[in-house]
Amino acid sequence: AVVSTQSTGTDVECIDSELAMSLQWLLDNDISDVVELTFAVDRVEFGEQGSLELKPGGGDILVTEENKVEYVRLLSEHKMSGAIRSQIGSFLAGFHSIVPRRILAIFSADELELVLCGLNIIDRVDWRRNTQYVNFAERDDMIVWFWEILDGYTQEELFTLLKFITGYSRVPHGGFAQFASISSSGPIKISRGNGTEENLPKSSVCFNLLLLPVYSSKEMLRDRLHTAMTYASVGFDQC
């Protein structure tokens, strides 16, 4: 709605997976003499059951093999915008009062998502290049082990760790270098933490800071880090 794009069955999956599966089945199969649908949908408004035509005269137009693609498109658009048109209108009025429509016109939907939400893939090399160390040196065993462990992480695990350290679930547009400029927290930092090997790593999202006690082996670091980022909440105690 913010950027004018045509809704698809893939979009519908975000809000109604069962409907999305049904629409995909219509597209993938020959529905001749199988499905009895029209270009109209049931709706309830103020407690009253009614019908809404997806196109003029839709209540009398059967969905066929020839027009099923149009049906899927119109139903997807209805589910994603038409059914909540007034709510979308109110949202856009507020949104455009802050971000003028003329500015948004230069973006595609994917570009706007990137600007607003950040990158959905973590570049380990970029992360390492833009990390600072406090009371550690890059050649120290703990730091070498840390990056070796991250080399084996899935993208999901990397994002879990990122959120544990920074509170962010995405990387800012422009990469890890942008952490130094988007807030007063500064770049991501790894600092030597207090405590013994029995202690878990801690984080301080106010400073984009990971506090690592010194462990005697890479396996111990791997285990403690996984436990901390998976089961512990993000840290504010050092803020």
Side-chain angles (χ1 to χ4, degrees):
V2 176
V3 176
S4 297
T5 56
Q6 195 172 84
S7 298
T8 66
T10 303
D11 298 321
V12 173
E13 186 175 8
C14 297
I15 61 172
D16 191 333
S17 59
E18 291 187 5
L19 175 61
M21 291 176 60
S22 298
L23 294 179
Q24 190 61 52
W25 185 91
L26 288 177
L27 295 174
D28 294 342
N29 295 275
D30 186 342
I31 64 171
S32 302
D33 303 320
V34 176
V35 177
E36 293 186 5
L37 292 171
T38 66
F39 279 73
V41 293
D42 295 331
R43 67 173 180 178
V44 177
E45 191 169 12
F46 301 112
E48 296 292 329
Q49 186 79 27
S51 179
L52 176 68
E53 294 183 335
L54 298 176
K55 59 188 295 187
D60 298 319
I61 301 175
L62 291 175
V63 178
T64 66
E65 183 66 20
E66 289 70 31
N67 63 20
K68 67 181 183 181
V69 173
E70 180 188 16
Y71 172 78
V72 169
R73 176 179 62 81
L74 291 176
L75 183 56
S76 296
E77 291 177 352
H78 168 70
K79 287 294 184 180
M80 294 299 297
S81 59
I84 53 173
R85 191 174 304 279
S86 62
Q87 294 93 325
I88 289 178
S90 298
F91 168 78
L92 289 178
F95 189 83
H96 289 148
S97 70
I98 301 172
V99 184
R101 190 185 300 270
R102 59 182 174 78
I103 295 178
L104 297 174
I106 66 174
F107 294 105
S108 68
D110 289 339
E111 290 169 338
L112 185 60
E113 180 184 12
L114 179 60
V115 171
L116 294 178
C117 302
L119 302 170
N120 59 4
I121 294 178
I122 286 181
D123 183 337
R124 297 171 178 82
V125 175
D126 184 40
W127 188 342
R128 182 169 186 168
R129 184 188 303 120
N130 290 285
T131 296
Q132 297 181 357
Y133 307 106
V134 180
N135 297 322
F136 275 127
E138 190 170 9
R139 64 182 180 275
D140 288 346
D141 286 344
M142 284 288 296
I143 300 302
V144 173
W145 294 340
F146 176 81
W147 294 116
E148 288 177 350
I149 291 168
L150 264 62
D151 283 340
Y153 274 4
T154 64
Q155 284 291 314
E156 181 179 0
E157 289 172 321
L158 289 172
F159 278 113
T160 299
L161 178 60
L162 177 69
K163 188 171 184 179
F164 175 69
I165 299 172
T166 68
Y168 287 88
S169 57
R170 290 282 190 99
V171 180
H173 176 52
F176 281 87
Q178 298 305 309
F179 276 109
S181 59
I182 60 175
S183 70
S184 60
S185 302
I188 293 178
K189 297 170 284 292
I190 301 177
S191 175
R192 188 184 298 264
N194 297 322
T196 68
E197 290 187 337
E198 299 305 315
N199 295 109
L200 295 175
K202 295 181 180 180
S203 67
S204 176
V205 298
C206 299
F207 301 105
N208 292 335
L209 177 66
L210 175 64
L211 294 157
L212 291 179
V214 176
Y215 300 111
S216 59
S217 70
K218 183 168 73 172
E219 288 308 310
M220 183 172 291
L221 172 59
R222 187 197 312 275
D223 176 72
R224 300 292 191 270
L225 186 61
H226 179 268
T227 300
M229 73 181 196
T230 304
Y231 300 105
S233 60
V234 295
F236 293 94
D237 56 310
Q238 303 295 324
C239 294

